[in-house]
Amino acid sequence: MGHENITEFILLGLFSDEDAKIACFVLFSLCYIAILSGNLLVLLTIRGSRLSEQPMYFFLSYLSFMDVCFTSTVAPKLITDLLAQRKTISYNSCMAQMFYAHFFGATEIFILVAMAYDRYAAICRPLHYMVIMSRPVCYIIVMASIIGAFIHSVLHVLIMVELPFCGPNRIDHYFCDVFPLLKLACMDTSLLVIVIITTTGVMSILTFVALVISYLIILSTLRTRSSQGRRKALSTCGSHVTVVLLFFLPLIFTYVPVADSVSNDKVFALFYTMIAPMFNPLIYTLRNTDMKNAMRKVWCWRKRSEGK
């Protein structure tokens, strides 16, 4: 089958209000700059300090990298389209955007799971921690996350490439995603919608529930700890839970549609494509003394060495 007549799609964008577009162009440009600088700051601080030896920060550096990649598949087009007259995207670019958004997004989900497992091992199995989370294990987890995300994304693209697109080509979204595209296909896609909701939706919910349960187990273990140890662990887990909620709740609302709500989907998508990646560096650094100390060391040392 494949795409029969359509060679390009028109993205309808976030909204049609002309007056708000300039303001949003400025706002989203600033958000994108904040996402790039914040996440690259975290990434370079971890890589440039001894923190990278600890599994938690090893994963956090990958999470920051995925945030940058994930947002970069969506944000530049969203921002330039706010000022463009014709918001078109070619068929191939559309498929590529969908592939990369799902690939980086899914990798991020798997890394968040790895971080929860890492905290579980550190707090509930402290004596075996160095064995459970040895460096080879960390690399295997990252590789498995990437392979799992790749399979997930390829399957989505393979489904899309088989669909015939012959009629309307206006996508009611600001990037190419599965559900808005399924609405444009020239065939009955109700079965595919159910398949995607059960795979992606159920996977999101199960992952979210598993993450919540793992942090509850960690919290119940912490009751027996000294107050100082408890405070530090609570602070770390608190930041992790905040990030998980910011990313997963909108994702679940998108992939488990309660009603036919594409207009809401765009708002939810904004959460996990722009808002969560922007707040992640803040959440992980503001409440984290190790991270703040490492930043001082790495960046003050750079200034000093440049000043010599």
PDB file of all heavy atoms in Angstrom, residues 170-189:
ATOM      1  N   ARG A 170      -3.926  17.394   6.487  1.00  0.00           N
ATOM      2  CA  ARG A 170      -3.711  18.361   7.572  1.00  0.00           C
ATOM      3  C   ARG A 170      -3.639  17.626   8.914  1.00  0.00           C
ATOM      4  O   ARG A 170      -4.628  17.052   9.374  1.00  0.00           O
ATOM      5  CB  ARG A 170      -4.849  19.382   7.591  1.00  0.00           C
ATOM      6  CG  ARG A 170      -4.881  20.226   6.308  1.00  0.00           C
ATOM      7  CD  ARG A 170      -6.227  20.902   6.145  1.00  0.00           C
ATOM      8  NE  ARG A 170      -6.350  22.079   6.996  1.00  0.00           N
ATOM      9  CZ  ARG A 170      -5.854  23.269   6.680  1.00  0.00           C
ATOM     10  NH1 ARG A 170      -5.204  23.431   5.537  1.00  0.00           N
ATOM     11  NH2 ARG A 170      -6.019  24.289   7.484  1.00  0.00           N
ATOM     12  N   ILE A 171      -2.455  17.640   9.533  1.00  0.00           N
ATOM     13  CA  ILE A 171      -2.249  16.960  10.823  1.00  0.00           C
ATOM     14  C   ILE A 171      -2.599  17.928  11.946  1.00  0.00           C
ATOM     15  O   ILE A 171      -1.992  18.995  12.059  1.00  0.00           O
ATOM     16  CB  ILE A 171      -0.786  16.491  10.980  1.00  0.00           C
ATOM     17  CG1 ILE A 171      -0.408  15.514   9.858  1.00  0.00           C
ATOM     18  CG2 ILE A 171      -0.555  15.844  12.338  1.00  0.00           C
ATOM     19  CD1 ILE A 171       1.043  15.100   9.872  1.00  0.00           C
ATOM     20  N   ASP A 172      -3.544  17.537  12.784  1.00  0.00           N
ATOM     21  CA  ASP A 172      -3.962  18.419  13.879  1.00  0.00           C
ATOM     22  C   ASP A 172      -3.018  18.264  15.072  1.00  0.00           C
ATOM     23  O   ASP A 172      -3.388  17.757  16.131  1.00  0.00           O
ATOM     24  CB  ASP A 172      -5.414  18.102  14.283  1.00  0.00           C
ATOM     25  CG  ASP A 172      -5.941  19.118  15.289  1.00  0.00           C
ATOM     26  OD1 ASP A 172      -5.296  20.181  15.447  1.00  0.00           O
ATOM     27  OD2 ASP A 172      -6.966  18.860  15.936  1.00  0.00           O
ATOM     28  N   HIS A 173      -1.769  18.673  14.872  1.00  0.00           N
ATOM     29  CA  HIS A 173      -0.764  18.549  15.922  1.00  0.00           C
ATOM     30  C   HIS A 173       0.411  19.427  15.521  1.00  0.00           C
ATOM     31  O   HIS A 173       0.426  19.983  14.439  1.00  0.00           O
ATOM     32  CB  HIS A 173      -0.317  17.087  16.047  1.00  0.00           C
ATOM     33  CG  HIS A 173       0.066  16.704  17.454  1.00  0.00           C
ATOM     34  ND1 HIS A 173       0.994  17.416  18.171  1.00  0.00           N
ATOM     35  CD2 HIS A 173      -0.349  15.701  18.266  1.00  0.00           C
ATOM     36  CE1 HIS A 173       1.127  16.850  19.372  1.00  0.00           C
ATOM     37  NE2 HIS A 173       0.318  15.812  19.455  1.00  0.00           N
ATOM     38  N   TYR A 174       1.431  19.523  16.402  1.00  0.00           N
ATOM     39  CA  TYR A 174       2.595  20.320  16.015  1.00  0.00           C
ATOM     40  C   TYR A 174       3.789  19.436  15.675  1.00  0.00           C
ATOM     41  O   TYR A 174       4.868  19.926  15.364  1.00  0.00           O
ATOM     42  CB  TYR A 174       2.955  21.353  17.099  1.00  0.00           C
ATOM     43  CG  TYR A 174       3.261  20.776  18.461  1.00  0.00           C
ATOM     44  CD1 TYR A 174       4.542  20.358  18.769  1.00  0.00           C
ATOM     45  CD2 TYR A 174       2.273  20.665  19.433  1.00  0.00           C
ATOM     46  CE1 TYR A 174       4.832  19.831  20.009  1.00  0.00           C
ATOM     47  CE2 TYR A 174       2.553  20.151  20.676  1.00  0.00           C
ATOM     48  CZ  TYR A 174       3.833  19.726  20.969  1.00  0.00           C
ATOM     49  OH  TYR A 174       4.110  19.203  22.200  1.00  0.00           O
ATOM     50  N   PHE A 175       3.620  18.103  15.765  1.00  0.00           N
ATOM     51  CA  PHE A 175       4.641  17.201  15.220  1.00  0.00           C
ATOM     52  C   PHE A 175       3.955  15.915  14.781  1.00  0.00           C
ATOM     53  O   PHE A 175       2.787  15.693  15.086  1.00  0.00           O
ATOM     54  CB  PHE A 175       5.777  16.941  16.228  1.00  0.00           C
ATOM     55  CG  PHE A 175       5.410  16.088  17.420  1.00  0.00           C
ATOM     56  CD1 PHE A 175       5.750  14.744  17.455  1.00  0.00           C
ATOM     57  CD2 PHE A 175       4.754  16.640  18.515  1.00  0.00           C
ATOM     58  CE1 PHE A 175       5.431  13.958  18.571  1.00  0.00           C
ATOM     59  CE2 PHE A 175       4.440  15.867  19.632  1.00  0.00           C
ATOM     60  CZ  PHE A 175       4.778  14.520  19.653  1.00  0.00           C
ATOM     61  N   CYS A 176       4.688  15.100  14.021  1.00  0.00           N
ATOM     62  CA  CYS A 176       4.086  13.876  13.486  1.00  0.00           C
ATOM     63  C   CYS A 176       4.019  12.816  14.568  1.00  0.00           C
ATOM     64  O   CYS A 176       5.066  12.349  15.039  1.00  0.00           O
ATOM     65  CB  CYS A 176       4.926  13.349  12.331  1.00  0.00           C
ATOM     66  SG  CYS A 176       4.764  14.387  10.892  1.00  0.00           S
ATOM     67  N   ASP A 177       2.827  12.463  14.966  1.00  0.00           N
ATOM     68  CA  ASP A 177       2.672  11.404  15.962  1.00  0.00           C
ATOM     69  C   ASP A 177       1.640  10.403  15.465  1.00  0.00           C
ATOM     70  O   ASP A 177       0.900  10.664  14.516  1.00  0.00           O
ATOM     71  CB  ASP A 177       2.275  11.993  17.319  1.00  0.00           C
ATOM     72  CG  ASP A 177       2.629  11.044  18.459  1.00  0.00           C
ATOM     73  OD1 ASP A 177       3.321  10.036  18.193  1.00  0.00           O
ATOM     74  OD2 ASP A 177       2.228  11.297  19.612  1.00  0.00           O
ATOM     75  N   VAL A 178       1.587   9.271  16.126  1.00  0.00           N
ATOM     76  CA  VAL A 178       0.797   8.141  15.637  1.00  0.00           C
ATOM     77  C   VAL A 178      -0.690   8.461  15.487  1.00  0.00           C
ATOM     78  O   VAL A 178      -1.255   8.311  14.405  1.00  0.00           O
ATOM     79  CB  VAL A 178       0.987   6.935  16.581  1.00  0.00           C
ATOM     80  CG1 VAL A 178       0.220   5.731  16.059  1.00  0.00           C
ATOM     81  CG2 VAL A 178       2.454   6.590  16.700  1.00  0.00           C
ATOM     82  N   PHE A 179      -1.332   8.912  16.552  1.00  0.00           N
ATOM     83  CA  PHE A 179      -2.791   9.087  16.504  1.00  0.00           C
ATOM     84  C   PHE A 179      -3.248  10.140  15.489  1.00  0.00           C
ATOM     85  O   PHE A 179      -4.169   9.878  14.721  1.00  0.00           O
ATOM     86  CB  PHE A 179      -3.363   9.394  17.895  1.00  0.00           C
ATOM     87  CG  PHE A 179      -3.326   8.197  18.804  1.00  0.00           C
ATOM     88  CD1 PHE A 179      -2.892   8.304  20.111  1.00  0.00           C
ATOM     89  CD2 PHE A 179      -3.726   6.946  18.347  1.00  0.00           C
ATOM     90  CE1 PHE A 179      -2.849   7.196  20.952  1.00  0.00           C
ATOM     91  CE2 PHE A 179      -3.684   5.831  19.174  1.00  0.00           C
ATOM     92  CZ  PHE A 179      -3.247   5.954  20.480  1.00  0.00           C
ATOM     93  N   PRO A 180      -2.613  11.324  15.460  1.00  0.00           N
ATOM     94  CA  PRO A 180      -3.042  12.296  14.444  1.00  0.00           C
ATOM     95  C   PRO A 180      -2.890  11.760  13.015  1.00  0.00           C
ATOM     96  O   PRO A 180      -3.706  12.058  12.147  1.00  0.00           O
ATOM     97  CB  PRO A 180      -2.120  13.494  14.681  1.00  0.00           C
ATOM     98  CG  PRO A 180      -1.696  13.368  16.106  1.00  0.00           C
ATOM     99  CD  PRO A 180      -1.607  11.906  16.365  1.00  0.00           C
ATOM    100  N   LEU A 181      -1.843  10.942  12.797  1.00  0.00           N
ATOM    101  CA  LEU A 181      -1.639  10.378  11.459  1.00  0.00           C
ATOM    102  C   LEU A 181      -2.676   9.310  11.133  1.00  0.00           C
ATOM    103  O   LEU A 181      -3.160   9.221  10.007  1.00  0.00           O
ATOM    104  CB  LEU A 181      -0.236   9.787  11.334  1.00  0.00           C
ATOM    105  CG  LEU A 181       0.887  10.775  11.015  1.00  0.00           C
ATOM    106  CD1 LEU A 181       2.237  10.108  11.149  1.00  0.00           C
ATOM    107  CD2 LEU A 181       0.733  11.355   9.619  1.00  0.00           C
ATOM    108  N   LEU A 182      -3.017   8.491  12.139  1.00  0.00           N
ATOM    109  CA  LEU A 182      -4.020   7.434  11.913  1.00  0.00           C
ATOM    110  C   LEU A 182      -5.355   8.032  11.473  1.00  0.00           C
ATOM    111  O   LEU A 182      -6.088   7.421  10.696  1.00  0.00           O
ATOM    112  CB  LEU A 182      -4.219   6.602  13.187  1.00  0.00           C
ATOM    113  CG  LEU A 182      -3.128   5.578  13.521  1.00  0.00           C
ATOM    114  CD1 LEU A 182      -3.413   4.917  14.849  1.00  0.00           C
ATOM    115  CD2 LEU A 182      -2.999   4.530  12.429  1.00  0.00           C
ATOM    116  N   LYS A 183      -5.647   9.237  11.977  1.00  0.00           N
ATOM    117  CA  LYS A 183      -6.918   9.896  11.612  1.00  0.00           C
ATOM    118  C   LYS A 183      -6.977  10.254  10.127  1.00  0.00           C
ATOM    119  O   LYS A 183      -8.050  10.426   9.567  1.00  0.00           O
ATOM    120  CB  LYS A 183      -7.098  11.177  12.449  1.00  0.00           C
ATOM    121  CG  LYS A 183      -7.515  10.897  13.877  1.00  0.00           C
ATOM    122  CD  LYS A 183      -7.945  12.188  14.557  1.00  0.00           C
ATOM    123  CE  LYS A 183      -8.725  11.934  15.836  1.00  0.00           C
ATOM    124  NZ  LYS A 183      -7.961  11.224  16.855  1.00  0.00           N
ATOM    125  N   LEU A 184      -5.798  10.398   9.494  1.00  0.00           N
ATOM    126  CA  LEU A 184      -5.755  10.818   8.093  1.00  0.00           C
ATOM    127  C   LEU A 184      -5.716   9.643   7.111  1.00  0.00           C
ATOM    128  O   LEU A 184      -5.850   9.837   5.908  1.00  0.00           O
ATOM    129  CB  LEU A 184      -4.527  11.695   7.836  1.00  0.00           C
ATOM    130  CG  LEU A 184      -4.404  12.991   8.637  1.00  0.00           C
ATOM    131  CD1 LEU A 184      -3.154  13.732   8.232  1.00  0.00           C
ATOM    132  CD2 LEU A 184      -5.631  13.872   8.442  1.00  0.00           C
ATOM    133  N   ALA A 185      -5.494   8.443   7.616  1.00  0.00           N
ATOM    134  CA  ALA A 185      -5.359   7.287   6.720  1.00  0.00           C
ATOM    135  C   ALA A 185      -6.679   6.989   6.004  1.00  0.00           C
ATOM    136  O   ALA A 185      -7.752   7.172   6.569  1.00  0.00           O
ATOM    137  CB  ALA A 185      -4.904   6.081   7.512  1.00  0.00           C
ATOM    138  N   CYS A 186      -6.552   6.540   4.730  1.00  0.00           N
ATOM    139  CA  CYS A 186      -7.748   6.256   3.929  1.00  0.00           C
ATOM    140  C   CYS A 186      -8.209   4.821   4.152  1.00  0.00           C
ATOM    141  O   CYS A 186      -8.345   4.041   3.197  1.00  0.00           O
ATOM    142  CB  CYS A 186      -7.452   6.442   2.457  1.00  0.00           C
ATOM    143  SG  CYS A 186      -6.858   8.073   2.096  1.00  0.00           S
ATOM    144  N   MET A 187      -8.362   4.425   5.384  1.00  0.00           N
ATOM    145  CA  MET A 187      -8.885   3.090   5.691  1.00  0.00           C
ATOM    146  C   MET A 187      -9.348   3.095   7.134  1.00  0.00           C
ATOM    147  O   MET A 187      -9.087   4.050   7.875  1.00  0.00           O
ATOM    148  CB  MET A 187      -7.815   2.017   5.469  1.00  0.00           C
ATOM    149  CG  MET A 187      -6.579   2.191   6.339  1.00  0.00           C
ATOM    150  SD  MET A 187      -5.372   0.879   6.127  1.00  0.00           S
ATOM    151  CE  MET A 187      -5.987  -0.391   7.226  1.00  0.00           C
ATOM    152  N   ASP A 188     -10.015   2.037   7.531  1.00  0.00           N
ATOM    153  CA  ASP A 188     -10.495   1.957   8.906  1.00  0.00           C
ATOM    154  C   ASP A 188      -9.321   1.589   9.813  1.00  0.00           C
ATOM    155  O   ASP A 188      -8.754   0.500   9.686  1.00  0.00           O
ATOM    156  CB  ASP A 188     -11.610   0.907   9.011  1.00  0.00           C
ATOM    157  CG  ASP A 188     -12.150   0.811  10.426  1.00  0.00           C
ATOM    158  OD1 ASP A 188     -11.946   1.781  11.187  1.00  0.00           O
ATOM    159  OD2 ASP A 188     -12.739  -0.222  10.780  1.00  0.00           O
ATOM    160  N   THR A 189      -8.964   2.510  10.705  1.00  0.00           N
ATOM    161  CA  THR A 189      -7.783   2.261  11.541  1.00  0.00           C
ATOM    162  C   THR A 189      -8.162   1.949  12.991  1.00  0.00           C
ATOM    163  O   THR A 189      -7.306   1.956  13.863  1.00  0.00           O
ATOM    164  CB  THR A 189      -6.848   3.494  11.530  1.00  0.00           C
ATOM    165  OG1 THR A 189      -7.615   4.631  11.938  1.00  0.00           O
ATOM    166  CG2 THR A 189      -6.253   3.731  10.171  1.00  0.00           C
TER     167      THR A 189
END
